[in-house]
């Protein structure tokens, strides 16, 4: 009877089914089921943009070569285009200023600009002029 029980024990041990994979496909002792590990995550767009804009580029300013970040070089190029008469560049530059400089709203009354400059910007649609209050008084 002991031979029959040993035979039955070995059959139960070698049984294959749900929750009982074949011996040859089971993980060996001390071996991970994922030897290469989890793959490194894909970098998101925000980190890629930040990295690209932080890279240094060489520019020439006032006859001297200078290394600045790509972000700074882009802003300098935008400024040059705006000064050269590109209205789209001017609009982008003014909107960046308004969005990122807190006191830009307090100087939005354009008190520092000449009246002629204000009229030019208003005719180009780049600024809104406050309407005069004509109550007749």
């Amino acid at each position: 009877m002991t031979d029959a029980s040993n035979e039955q024990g070995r059959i139960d041990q070698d049984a294959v089914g749900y929750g009982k994979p074949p011996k040859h496909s089971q993980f060996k002792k001390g071996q991970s089921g994922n030897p290469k590990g989890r793959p490194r995550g894909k970098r998101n767009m925000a980190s890629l943009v930040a990295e690209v804009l932080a890279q240094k580029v060489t520019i020439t300013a006032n006859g001297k070569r200078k290394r600045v970040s790509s972000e700074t070089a882009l802003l300098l190029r935008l400024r040059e285009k705006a000064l050269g008469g590109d209205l789209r560049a001017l609009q982008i530059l003014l909107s960046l200023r308004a969005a990122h400089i807190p006191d830009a709203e307090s100087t939005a009354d354009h008190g520092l600009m000449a009246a002629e400059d204000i009229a030019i910007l208003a005719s180009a649609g780049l600024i809104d002029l406050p309407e005069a209050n004509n109550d007749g008084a």
Side-chain angles (χ1 to χ4, degrees):
M1 185 117 155
T2 58
D3 288 337
S5 64
N6 282 344
E7 187 74 23
Q8 184 65 27
R10 191 163 9 118
I11 291 173
D12 286 344
Q13 205 173 31
D14 294 338
V16 175
Y18 181 77
K20 299 177 188 171
K23 285 287 182 191
H24 72 276
S25 65
Q26 291 181 5
F27 296 134
K28 308 297 184 266
K29 290 230 183 249
Q31 179 183 358
S32 168
N34 188 7
K36 291 183 183 178
R38 185 179 63 84
R40 292 181 62 103
K42 184 177 177 184
R43 294 174 31 195
N44 63 8
M45 185 58 100
S47 64
L48 289 174
V49 168
E51 181 182 326
V52 167
L53 290 178
Q55 289 178 351
K56 299 284 185 177
V57 294
T58 303
I59 63 168
T60 303
N62 299 328
K64 295 181 183 178
R65 292 172 58 100
K66 192 171 156 182
R67 286 188 58 81
V68 296
S69 70
S70 297
E71 190 170 19
T72 303
L74 288 171
L75 286 172
L76 291 172
R77 175 72 56 94
L78 185 64
R79 182 191 68 179
E80 291 302 316
K81 289 180 90 172
L83 290 174
D86 186 346
L87 291 180
R88 184 170 170 86
L90 178 61
Q91 187 175 16
I92 292 170
L93 196 58
L94 289 177
S95 66
L96 284 172
R97 178 176 178 258
H100 296 286
I101 299 176
D103 67 331
E105 297 302 321
S106 65
T107 60
D109 62 346
H110 310 294
L112 301 176
M113 283 194 235
E116 183 179 335
D117 294 336
I118 294 172
I120 292 170
L121 290 174
S123 67
L126 298 175
I127 62 171
D128 294 325
L129 290 179
E131 294 183 23
N133 191 1
N134 295 333
D135 291 341

